[in-house]
Amino acid sequence: MNILLLGSGGREHAFAWKIVNSQNCTKLFVAPGNAGTAQLAENVNLSITDFAQITDFVLANKIEMVVVGPEEPLVRGIVDYFEANPQTANIPVIGPSKEGARMEGSKDYSKQFMDRHQIPTAASETFTKENIEEGIAFIDQQKTPIVLKADGLAAGKGVLICQSHQEAKDSLKEMLLESKFGEASSKVVIEQFLDGIELSVFVATDGKSYKILPEAKDYKRIGEADTGLNTGGMGAVSPVPFADAAFMRKVEERVVIPTVKGLQKENIRYTGFLFIGLMNIGGDPYVIEYNVRMGDPETQAVLPRIKSDFVDLLHAMGTRQLDQYKIELESFTSTTIVMVAGGYPGDYRKGDNISGLELLGKDNTALIFHAGTKLNEKNEVLTNGGRVMAITGIGHNVQDALANAYETVSGICWDDLYFRKDIGQDILRLQK
């Protein structure tokens, strides 16, 4: 098959790596891609939200499947756009319909969906600037800490955990009255803080059947010991030792099955990946959020653990034949360390030369996934984003995988780089 992959981050480099290693991929195009995808596939300069331009490219290049990496094209309705055009209606687009993408595009919508289908989640209420006084009164009734979430897409940064009532009230005013997260915070969900251990569960679905992919634990804060600002993610570990068979059975029965059945019952077309952010509280799963695509950097830890053919998985979803697909998983552990530009998630510099890449990745103990990178006219790799690289170590256990990841990290260099040195340490402590 000729395949088009949309996106430019570490998740998309991991997708590209898996896709080109399948015998079912004839040619892979990545739009717009990065310096890493350029080594595996053909990068094409398309905007991921210009659906007319994407359609023209798909038809001109005989594309037989479109794989959507990030959430924005899905929330804007790329699946519906392709389905509405007779020339592209039969080309599988891996991702949910616009209505299905609201599961991520609106926190309020997803909370209401969970309530309708009795899916365990934190108690919450939603407010706008029109009823902000009610929101302030609601804050006074809550125990601290208090969680505030921008309703719309905010690049993974729209969640605030406020330690005091005053901080929560000030933050609510900033979000609703001062558009702290732009249009995304025109509605704010205020919810109960869940105190437990977080993990991410990934599900592939064709709208009828589902396959549960390897789970992962990610690390969202910029600072060690989970301090500082939220980021798009600073690292990940898969599998998660505390997500044992008994816990995962609860996840499947209480969360995955009611979610897939709820989508069917409400006639919401959903073909693609569902990322379920969970909190493990005393051995019981509670949903923090849904995302309508694979996570980043969890993808970089999860995909190496899928042994069965990845293009077959994508095509089985897209053609609604997922019940025929047999998923096989690797037994090893993978751990991902994200290397970022200094200053991220605040202001950071782009265009710094990255050195050391040519010496690495030869022994299969670590994988290098590019995120915010680009090539210059001399074919040198430069930084081009906040999260620049994701290094995934492979090992028999968490300790070995981390050692392999950090050894590879130590060989890569650019001016003012930063990474967390404590990824996975909480899991190692739990295992002692």
Side-chain angles (χ1 to χ4, degrees), residues 125-128 147-151 171-172 175-176 184-190:
E125 294 279 348
T126 302
F127 300 93
T128 65
V147 182
L148 270 58
K149 293 181 175 179
D151 177 62
S171 296
L172 183 66
M175 291 167 85
L176 290 177
S185 61
S186 61
K187 273 189 195 173
V188 173
V189 176
I190 303 177

Side-chain angles (χ1 to χ4, degrees), residues 34 36 89 98 112 184 208 220 324 373 405 413 425:
N34 58 37
K98 188 172 186 177
Q112 289 186 38
K208 302 175 298 175
K220 291 190 173 65
Q324 308 293 312
T373 65
C413 192
Q425 293 304 309

Side-chain angles (χ1 to χ4, degrees), residues 144-255:
T144 56
I146 300 164
V147 182
L148 270 58
K149 293 181 175 179
D151 177 62
L153 298 181
K157 302 181 185 78
V159 178
L160 302 177
I161 298 170
C162 303
Q163 300 302 322
S164 70
H165 291 91
Q166 192 57 51
E167 183 190 352
K169 290 175 190 177
D170 292 344
S171 296
L172 183 66
K173 289 173 186 172
E174 285 175 2
M175 291 167 85
L176 290 177
L177 303 179
E178 298 167 31
S179 303
K180 179 171 182 155
F181 299 106
E183 181 59 30
S185 61
S186 61
K187 273 189 195 173
V188 173
V189 176
I190 303 177
E191 72 176 30
Q192 162 199 16
F193 177 77
L194 296 178
D195 193 7
I197 312 174
E198 201 173 332
L199 74 155
S200 306
V201 169
F202 299 95
V203 178
T205 182
D206 60 4
K208 302 175 298 175
S209 304
Y210 65 87
K211 302 289 176 186
I212 297 178
L213 308 180
E215 78 286 352
K217 182 182 191 308
D218 82 325
Y219 297 80
K220 291 190 173 65
R221 302 272 188 164
I222 188 68
E224 292 179 12
D226 283 324
T227 56
L229 294 171
N230 262 344
T231 70
M234 294 298 293
V237 174
S238 179
V240 181
F242 62 78
D244 58 15
F247 178 78
M248 291 305 292
R249 202 159 40 247
K250 289 180 187 175
V251 171
E252 185 167 13
E253 290 167 0
R254 299 179 192 178
V255 179

Side-chain angles (χ1 to χ4, degrees), residues 287-341:
V287 178
I288 304 167
E289 64 177 358
Y290 292 117
N291 289 334
V292 298
R293 35 73 194 183
M294 290 295 285
D296 189 339
E298 296 100 324
T299 299
Q300 294 92 300
V302 166
L303 257 54
R305 296 195 54 233
I306 298 176
K307 189 176 185 178
S308 41
D309 191 283
F310 189 61
V311 171
D312 280 354
L313 172 64
L314 295 169
H315 195 253
M317 282 193 275
T319 55
R320 293 174 175 76
Q321 295 176 315
L322 191 57
D323 57 340
Q324 308 293 312
Y325 180 80
K326 186 172 181 348
I327 190 162
E328 294 177 70
L329 304 180
E330 300 280 9
S331 59
F332 58 67
T333 294
S334 49
T335 60
T336 300
I337 314 301
V338 176
M339 304 176 72
V340 306

